Amino acid sequence: MAAEPGSTHVIGPDSELGQVFELAQQLRVDSVRASTSAGSGHPTSSLSAADLMAVLMARHLRYDWQRPANPAGDHLIFSKGHASPLLYAMFLAAGAIDEQELLTTYRRDGARLQGHPTPVLPWVDVATGSLGQGIAYGVGIALTGRDLEKQPYRVWVLCGDSEMAEGSVWEALDKAGRHKLAHFTAIIDVNRLGQTGPTEWGWDTDVYARRAEAFGCRALVVDGHDLAAVDQALTTAADGQAPTVIVARTVKGRGVAEIADAEGWHGKALPDDLAERAIAELGGVRRLTVRGPRPPADAHPREPVGEMPIELPRFEPGDKVATRVAFGKALVALGARADVVVLDAEVGNSTHTADFGKAHPERYFQTYIAEQQLIASAVAMAVRGYRPYAATFAAFLSRAYDFIRMAAISQVTMALSGSHCGVEIGADGPSQMGLEDLAMMRAVHGSTVLYPGDATCAAALTAAMADLEGISYLRTTRGAYPVLYPAGEPFPVGGSKTLRATDRDQVTLVGAGVTLHECLAAADHLAADGISARVLDLYSVKPVDGDALARAARDTGALVVVEDHHPEGGLGEAVLSALAEHRQTPAFAHLAVRNLPASGTPDELLDAAGLSQSCITRAARDLIAG
Amino acid sequence: MAAEPGSTHVIGPDSELGQVFELAQQLRVDSVRASTSAGSGHPTSSLSAADLMAVLMARHLRYDWQRPANPAGDHLIFSKGHASPLLYAMFLAAGAIDEQELLTTYRRDGARLQGHPTPVLPWVDVATGSLGQGIAYGVGIALTGRDLEKQPYRVWVLCGDSEMAEGSVWEALDKAGRHKLAHFTAIIDVNRLGQTGPTEWGWDTDVYARRAEAFGCRALVVDGHDLAAVDQALTTAADGQAPTVIVARTVKGRGVAEIADAEGWHGKALPDDLAERAIAELGGVRRLTVRGPRPPADAHPREPVGEMPIELPRFEPGDKVATRVAFGKALVALGARADVVVLDAEVGNSTHTADFGKAHPERYFQTYIAEQQLIASAVAMAVRGYRPYAATFAAFLSRAYDFIRMAAISQVTMALSGSHCGVEIGADGPSQMGLEDLAMMRAVHGSTVLYPGDATCAAALTAAMADLEGISYLRTTRGAYPVLYPAGEPFPVGGSKTLRATDRDQVTLVGAGVTLHECLAAADHLAADGISARVLDLYSVKPVDGDALARAARDTGALVVVEDHHPEGGLGEAVLSALAEHRQTPAFAHLAVRNLPASGTPDELLDAAGLSQSCITRAARDLIAG
């Protein structure tokens, strides 16, 4: 794409670097204008990277600004999301937004130009702002492009230097190197200054370069303000030979003498008078337009995913089957859908994702023990239109909580599963027990939380997750328990199952997962004593079946909720919230893991935690006795 | 310490390597016996590291097995906590436990020899079992020993190769290199096989060595079964010149031909017959005792921390002061206690820990943007008897949730603070908003969760945290709000404050933090309409003041709970749990952040989320109208 003939205001791949410099200055000016108009933001962090981004967008980023969904288009991720003024200035230069939007809406109420970029903007793949995440998403997208989409796009990630202290960065670069993701480039804006002062490694660009190389990437050290050097580095990075880390030495606040390389200017908009001087020093307001490289036209369009019949596994009522086993079998069946992909963190033989790996190896991704990258890759695949299922032990999803939280802001649809929940796991001890996962996952915006009590339910919910919006979570149990439901039984999300009920029930026992089986046994004990107990399978923890709970409260007047989880934020409080909403106020007992568990058999540990059938029986009796 | 004269069964620093080999075989035999007797465990992962540990304990680990609290004693951390059979076999060899305990209690109900080591054992510093954490704790302890305790001890961490994929490992090694922690050594047991098959990098020991060096550590590659080479490497590591990573090539299942280097044997106890053959192949049961090196006797004893008067900062009622500012000022005052240490993750000017850094730089630790290491170092300092306060944005504590969860299993006492909670932060947008932190922190075993509404309360609670058992969490707010309480007002943990009350209140407004101020304003609006509203400051979220809530429920019959947090697991559900326990069932409204927030002013965002004074007023009116 040459510059438009006759126009001196259009910058393109063939423009002289002098013109690109003008673009860089425009990006600086607009970064200052946007943040000063908003009264907050990070202009100095934008100024340091303006030259890098000007060269990238004019000469290397193969992007269809008018059709960002073009499947062959490059991806640009601002891992340093606080440099949003620069990103939005690029949008303006590309003609994607207009000047009024930049200057009057940035950081304002309801605006899409938020303080940190999110995918409410069509040119943004993922939400950033939690540092150290952009490289991880970029690696995931590069992997998706090469191995799933077979598209020629490149992925460019702009990072700050401070965020290189995050371990997630190295989880990600390890994968870039291991998978030889030759279309991946990270650009580190080494501007030496973080939020509180000098960064850990200052301008020691060799530290970053050595590390990137040790992690299997090609490292290129450049002066980030030498446009020719930057252009050369980006050209090399785009040669398709190796994953690349460009280590660019830059100056924070570059171009504005009063604030350049000065401490105390992180995250501060320039006051009006200083902004005025800065804009003058930068050469004033420009109105350059960028027509950069376009995606290759011969890239194949994305194939639509057809409707495939899914033949779910069938389980015989009474047989003992672990819900994690049913999850694995259901995944294999779901593999009939070409958009379903599965990710493991080296526990696939425990979570049973490995079953999918055997059946559909081309859509099974091993991230090894790197849960942050596990989630980041799942987010990336979701962003690219796939339906990822990522699983590890429930306990170890806590390792990736920040990524899960951010995924909700990215508004992606992905399915997570955590196995080995609760004290039920037995001898391995508390480090392996998921006891906080319900609280953690319920608190995620827009999440769905599911906790099947048997294999039939687990398989049905696993299948349902493929079509749920947002982040869904399936909690599975280590041990094998009797199948309760016949094949074909429907399990609507937000529903529940009433397994025992009469019109003279004196109490309702509410369980999920392993505690459902304990509740059933407790109901037998109570029946032997002439007490009729209703039993509710609360397989849908969020949304929860408030109607059934309210009905049970009205009918029986007493609820015992039993959960293999710490008492806070899990099943019990989900029930209380639903009852409060329905203005039902039964007598209530809440059995949960209040102790610090140790090792033992599942039965011993359930009993020690007060969740066993005998504990439930006692609690129900006490409640009835009032 | 030479071997005891006349005894051929004692192995010590002067024993021949042939004797050390016998010790290694004993550790192998006992690892097999322990796990086979338990019927579960990880014998093959123990066998690979037995030679490494035999040389270490006989010749290098300066440890006082009879007095593990000896302040000069080395620290040994099993990051690969699943190799607990090996660790416990070492305890047996040291005479710390007896054979019966090993063979009849390991992994059994109530035993201290749990599936993964925890500090219920006096020779264990920290709980492990979530992989990738041991190096982080080890780095923290090495830093503590050198910079705080001034003790000569060395820290040895045994890691698996799989866990090197965790980013937390590289956060930690970065700090080992940066701080030049010359008394820190990590030993990587590169046995090539993980849980599901070959590890990411197999026996490519150079990959690990290159990375360790790039992160500023000395790397030594050895054959992990060549005792002389291992001894040489450990001798070098102990020279006090540099942080060291020993990359030891080993064989999983080493010493037992049927399972050596074989897939499918991870985490499986040997069946009885195979165990019998294995023990025979390993030379049968031995009864060797280790008398390894002892800690240097001239190390100074730990100085007791005297009772220091703390002069808390005073704030004038009506003045606008942010709770994070009060937190910082209180920390400065707490600095009078010599055991108080503070850790930052490069946001100290936002959380206000930086104030402490200026006042007490020798007890202020900058971990840069590495939240996992932030928590790991805090845990390490807690383990060594200090009272750490670690702070970052509430949102970014989610990055370290697995470390916080594990810290509860380590039963440490530490104080955390998360600033910038909720939509109140305004223009920066959702990536910076802590909206899951209450759920996350409440679900931690034994935690205390505090959320002050004004500066006086924040300062008092900050001081109280120094003497709280377990993990405590203080949630602070970005903006400045009026001081509500006079200096000296007591704020007992588990208490609350009733700010407005009459004997004809029709509704209770329950708030904390910023929503408390909105509740007060709403009470004014309601009063103008002739509706008398009680206002409760629920500054203690866990434990929560059930008595005051029950009283309010009884007195007013209606509660509106308002929280700047997602609806799950936070203030609202804490209140519901307390009311259920007290069998109180008022009319209930729960205002929480149910939307996905964007940018805006604090007022705009509170209103958009339904938390503003007008929303509260409306909810109260609706509730009263029934």
Side-chain angles (χ1 to χ4, degrees):
Chain A
M1 293 282 117
E4 284 177 18
S7 164
T8 58
H9 295 296
V10 175
I11 312 280
D14 300 330
S15 300
E16 299 293 318
L17 285 177
Q19 286 291 303
V20 177
F21 174 76
E22 293 300 318
L23 171 62
Q25 294 295 79
Q26 170 172 315
L27 297 178
R28 289 190 166 94
V29 167
D30 290 345
S31 295
V32 168
R33 294 163 79 206
S35 47
T36 291
S37 80
S40 68
H42 296 74
T44 56
S45 302
S46 298
L47 267 52
S48 60
D51 294 319
L52 296 164
M53 291 300 101
V55 179
L56 180 72
M57 86 178 292
R59 298 195 167 199
H60 301 277
L61 182 75
R62 302 189 300 189
Y63 195 69
D64 192 340
W65 289 97
Q66 265 54 57
R67 198 165 73 88
N70 184 330
D74 283 1
H75 296 268
L76 171 62
I77 297 170
F78 261 49
S79 188
K80 50 179 292 184
H82 53 288
S84 56
L86 174 60
L87 182 65
Y88 302 158
M90 293 168 72
F91 293 171
L92 175 59
I97 63 171
D98 63 24
E99 194 173 24
Q100 184 176 352
E101 181 171 8
L102 182 67
L103 298 185
T104 67
T105 77
Y106 176 51
R107 285 178 162 257
R108 267 72 142 203
D109 191 29
R112 60 179 186 168
L113 300 183
Q114 298 180 19
H116 294 75
T118 82
V120 298
L121 292 158
W123 316 278
V124 172
D125 288 305
V126 286
T128 52
S130 180
L131 290 168
Q133 296 202 356
I135 288 186
Y137 298 128
V139 163
I141 291 177
L143 184 66
T144 307
R146 189 191 64 185
D147 291 355
L148 288 170
E149 297 184 82
K150 326 281 187 196
Q151 290 286 358
Y153 61 69
R154 300 171 188 144
V155 180
W156 310 90
V157 181
L158 177 68
C159 317
D161 44 355
S162 271
E163 64 180 303
M164 301 306 282
E166 287 283 12
S168 53
V169 167
W170 304 101
E171 286 187 22
L173 289 181
D174 173 66
K175 296 303 175 271
R178 171 153 192 90
H179 294 296
K180 299 187 175 28
L181 298 176
H183 285 173
F184 170 83
T185 301
I187 305 167
I188 314 177
D189 177 22
V190 185
N191 66 21
R192 190 189 77 82
L193 291 172
Q195 176 177 325
T196 63
T199 61
E200 187 169 12
W201 296 106
W203 271 323
D204 192 346
T205 47
D206 285 347
V207 166
Y208 300 112
R210 266 200 309 275
R211 293 177 180 189
E213 284 172 356
F215 277 70
C217 299
R218 170 173 57 187
L220 307 171
V221 177
V222 296
D223 174 346
H225 304 306
D226 177 338
L227 299 187
V230 170
D231 188 49
Q232 181 54 50
L234 291 171
T235 302
T236 303
D239 69 5
Q241 297 304 306
T244 303
V245 175
I246 296 175
V247 184
R249 180 186 161 125
T250 63
V251 174
K252 198 161 179 169
R254 166 81 174 194
V256 180
E258 292 179 65
I259 54 173
D261 197 33
E263 292 193 38
W265 279 102
H266 179 93
K268 287 186 186 151
L270 309 192
D272 286 337
D273 56 334
L274 176 51
E276 204 170 307
R277 292 195 298 277
I279 292 165
E281 184 179 348
L282 291 164
V285 174
R286 294 167 182 77
R287 296 192 186 281
L288 304 170
T289 300
V290 177
R291 295 269 178 278
R294 289 181 54 83
D298 55 354
H300 60 86
R302 182 70 172 276
E303 287 164 27
V305 176
E307 288 283 316
M308 307 281 176
I310 306 294
E311 189 75 47
L312 280 184
R314 301 171 73 86
F315 305 98
E316 203 56 46
D319 284 1
K320 287 191 171 179
V321 184
T323 51
R324 61 188 170 121
V325 170
F327 167 68
K329 288 186 191 294
L331 283 184
V332 172
L334 274 172
R337 276 179 62 153
D339 59 346
V340 167
V341 295
V342 177
L343 300 98
D344 176 34
E346 224 204 292
V347 288
N349 51 348
S350 288
T351 61
H352 282 272
T353 58
D355 302 353
F356 183 94
K358 288 194 193 92
H360 309 285
E362 74 290 355
R363 281 181 277 139
Y364 186 63
F365 295 86
Q366 182 56 266
T367 55
Y368 298 96
I369 307 183
E371 292 82 7
Q372 296 184 90
Q373 188 58 43
L374 174 82
I375 301 302
S377 290
V379 168
M381 290 173 188
V383 162
R384 298 305 305 148
Y386 294 87
R387 288 295 169 126
Y389 284 74
T392 181
F393 280 29
F396 305 141
L397 281 174
S398 63
R399 198 61 157 264
Y401 194 33
D402 193 33
F403 279 81
I404 297 170
R405 177 185 77 85
M406 288 296 294
I409 301 173
S410 287
Q411 295 186 262
V412 300
T413 286
M414 70 176 173
L416 305 180
S417 178
S419 68
H420 293 69
C421 64
V423 303
E424 190 275 345
I425 68 160
D428 274 337
S431 63
Q432 318 294 302
M433 297 171 178
L435 288 165
E436 305 83 3
D437 56 314
L438 291 177
M440 178 177 104
M441 294 306 305
R442 283 183 69 234
V444 170
H445 177 72
S447 66
T448 301
V449 178
L450 306 168
Y451 185 13
D454 89 334
T456 303
C457 180
L461 294 177
T462 301
M465 290 165 88
D467 295 312
L468 287 178
E469 289 276 300
I471 298 169
S472 56
Y473 173 61
L474 185 83
R475 187 180 212 226
T476 67
T477 301
R478 178 177 179 277
Y481 294 87
V483 174
L484 301 172
Y485 302 102
E489 177 86 15
F491 293 91
V493 170
S496 67
K497 294 285 172 188
T498 301
L499 284 171
R500 303 274 174 88
T502 67
D503 51 13
R504 48 182 170 73
D505 294 333
Q506 295 167 264
V507 63
T508 303
L509 311 180
V510 181
V514 64
T515 64
L516 176 62
H517 297 271
E518 299 295 323
C519 285
L520 288 168
D524 290 342
H525 296 307
L526 292 166
D529 285 359
I531 298 173
S532 181
R534 184 170 297 189
V535 178
L536 220 65
D537 174 1
L538 214 61
Y539 64 81
S540 183
V541 181
K542 179 185 174 189
V544 75
D545 190 350
D547 291 335
L549 288 165
R551 202 177 317 120
R554 266 194 311 271
D555 292 353
T556 72
L559 258 69
V560 181
V561 181
V562 196
E563 61 179 319
D564 195 357
H565 183 272
H566 285 319
E568 300 85 5
L571 209 62
E573 295 192 345
V575 169
L576 286 173
S577 278
L579 291 174
E581 211 166 300
H582 284 73
R583 304 220 165 179
Q584 287 299 319
T585 53
F588 189 82
H590 183 194
L591 309 186
V593 182
R594 294 170 198 274
N595 60 330
L596 178 59
S599 291
T601 66
D603 281 346
E604 287 164 346
L605 294 177
L606 286 168
D607 203 52
L611 311 179
S612 61
Q613 45 192 269
S614 61
C615 301
I616 299 168
T617 306
R618 199 179 319 127
R621 278 208 199 94
D622 290 351
L623 212 56
I624 293 166
Chain B
M1 292 284 118
E4 285 176 18
S7 164
T8 58
H9 296 297
V10 175
I11 312 280
D14 300 329
S15 299
E16 299 293 317
L17 284 177
Q19 286 290 302
V20 176
F21 174 75
E22 293 301 318
L23 171 62
Q25 294 293 79
Q26 169 171 314
L27 297 178
R28 289 191 166 94
V29 167
D30 289 345
S31 295
V32 168
R33 294 163 80 208
S35 47
T36 291
S37 80
S40 68
H42 296 72
T44 56
S45 302
S46 298
L47 267 52
S48 59
D51 295 318
L52 297 164
M53 291 299 100
V55 179
L56 179 72
M57 86 178 291
R59 299 194 167 201
H60 301 279
L61 183 74
R62 302 189 299 188
Y63 196 69
D64 191 341
W65 289 97
Q66 266 53 57
R67 199 166 72 89
N70 184 330
D74 282 1
H75 296 268
L76 171 63
I77 296 169
F78 261 49
S79 187
K80 48 180 294 184
H82 55 286
S84 57
L86 174 61
L87 182 64
Y88 302 159
M90 293 168 72
F91 293 172
L92 175 59
I97 64 171
D98 63 25
E99 194 174 24
Q100 185 175 351
E101 182 171 7
L102 183 66
L103 299 185
T104 66
T105 76
Y106 176 51
R107 285 179 162 258
R108 267 72 141 202
D109 191 28
R112 60 179 187 168
L113 300 183
Q114 298 179 19
H116 294 75
T118 81
V120 297
L121 291 158
W123 315 280
V124 172
D125 288 305
V126 286
T128 52
S130 180
L131 290 168
Q133 297 201 357
I135 289 186
Y137 298 128
V139 163
I141 292 177
L143 184 66
T144 307
R146 189 191 64 186
D147 291 355
L148 288 170
E149 297 185 84
K150 325 281 188 196
Q151 290 287 358
Y153 61 69
R154 301 170 188 145
V155 181
W156 310 90
V157 181
L158 177 68
C159 318
D161 44 354
S162 272
E163 64 181 303
M164 302 305 283
E166 286 283 13
S168 53
V169 166
W170 303 101
E171 286 187 22
L173 289 181
D174 173 66
K175 296 303 175 270
R178 170 150 192 92
H179 294 296
K180 299 187 174 28
L181 297 176
H183 285 174
F184 169 84
T185 301
I187 305 167
I188 314 177
D189 178 20
V190 185
N191 67 21
R192 190 190 76 82
L193 291 172
Q195 176 178 325
T196 62
T199 60
E200 186 168 12
W201 296 107
W203 270 324
D204 191 346
T205 47
D206 285 348
V207 166
Y208 300 112
R210 265 200 310 274
R211 293 177 180 189
E213 284 172 356
F215 277 70
C217 299
R218 170 173 57 187
L220 307 171
V221 177
V222 295
D223 173 347
H225 304 305
D226 177 338
L227 298 187
V230 170
D231 188 49
Q232 181 54 51
L234 293 171
T235 302
T236 302
D239 69 5
Q241 297 303 305
T244 303
V245 175
I246 296 175
V247 184
R249 180 184 162 127
T250 64
V251 173
K252 197 160 179 170
R254 166 80 173 196
V256 180
E258 292 180 65
I259 53 173
D261 197 33
E263 291 193 37
W265 279 102
H266 180 92
K268 287 186 186 152
L270 309 191
D272 286 338
D273 57 334
L274 177 51
E276 204 171 305
R277 293 195 297 279
I279 292 166
E281 183 179 349
L282 291 164
V285 174
R286 293 166 184 78
R287 296 193 185 280
L288 304 170
T289 300
V290 177
R291 295 269 179 279
R294 288 181 53 81
D298 56 353
H300 60 87
R302 182 69 171 277
E303 287 164 28
V305 176
E307 288 284 314
M308 307 280 175
I310 306 293
E311 190 73 49
L312 280 184
R314 300 172 73 86
F315 304 97
E316 204 56 46
D319 284 0
K320 287 191 171 179
V321 184
T323 51
R324 61 187 171 123
V325 170
F327 166 69
K329 288 184 190 294
L331 282 184
V332 173
L334 274 171
R337 276 179 62 153
D339 59 347
V340 167
V341 294
V342 176
L343 300 98
D344 175 34
E346 224 204 290
V347 288
N349 52 347
S350 287
T351 61
H352 283 272
T353 59
D355 302 352
F356 183 94
K358 289 194 193 93
H360 309 284
E362 73 291 353
R363 283 182 275 138
Y364 186 63
F365 295 86
Q366 181 56 267
T367 55
Y368 298 96
I369 307 182
E371 292 83 7
Q372 296 185 91
Q373 188 58 44
L374 174 82
I375 301 301
S377 290
V379 168
M381 290 173 188
V383 162
R384 298 305 306 148
Y386 293 87
R387 289 296 169 127
Y389 284 74
T392 181
F393 281 29
F396 304 142
L397 281 174
S398 64
R399 197 61 156 264
Y401 194 34
D402 194 32
F403 279 81
I404 298 170
R405 176 185 77 84
M406 288 296 294
I409 301 174
S410 287
Q411 296 186 262
V412 300
T413 286
M414 69 175 174
L416 305 179
S417 179
S419 68
H420 293 69
C421 64
V423 303
E424 190 274 346
I425 67 161
D428 273 336
S431 63
Q432 319 294 302
M433 297 172 179
L435 288 166
E436 306 83 3
D437 57 314
L438 291 177
M440 180 176 104
M441 294 306 306
R442 282 182 70 234
V444 170
H445 177 70
S447 66
T448 302
V449 179
L450 305 168
Y451 184 14
D454 89 334
T456 302
C457 180
L461 295 176
T462 301
M465 290 166 88
D467 295 312
L468 288 177
E469 289 277 300
I471 298 168
S472 57
Y473 173 61
L474 185 83
R475 187 182 214 226
T476 66
T477 301
R478 178 178 181 277
Y481 293 87
V483 174
L484 301 171
Y485 302 102
E489 176 86 16
F491 293 90
V493 170
S496 68
K497 294 285 172 188
T498 302
L499 284 171
R500 303 273 175 90
T502 68
D503 51 13
R504 47 178 172 73
D505 294 333
Q506 296 167 262
V507 63
T508 303
L509 311 180
V510 181
V514 65
T515 64
L516 176 62
H517 296 271
E518 298 295 323
C519 286
L520 288 168
D524 290 341
H525 295 308
L526 291 166
D529 284 0
I531 298 172
S532 181
R534 186 171 298 188
V535 177
L536 220 65
D537 174 2
L538 214 61
Y539 63 82
S540 182
V541 181
K542 179 186 174 188
V544 75
D545 191 349
D547 291 334
L549 288 165
R551 201 177 318 120
R554 268 194 311 270
D555 292 353
T556 71
L559 258 67
V560 181
V561 181
V562 196
E563 60 180 320
D564 195 356
H565 183 272
H566 285 319
E568 300 85 4
L571 209 62
E573 295 192 346
V575 169
L576 285 172
S577 278
L579 291 174
E581 212 167 299
H582 284 74
R583 303 221 165 179
Q584 287 299 320
T585 53
F588 189 82
H590 183 195
L591 309 186
V593 182
R594 295 171 198 272
N595 61 329
L596 177 59
S599 291
T601 66
D603 280 346
E604 287 164 346
L605 294 177
L606 286 168
D607 202 54
L611 311 179
S612 61
Q613 46 191 269
S614 61
C615 301
I616 299 169
T617 306
R618 199 177 319 127
R621 277 207 200 94
D622 290 351
L623 211 56
I624 293 166

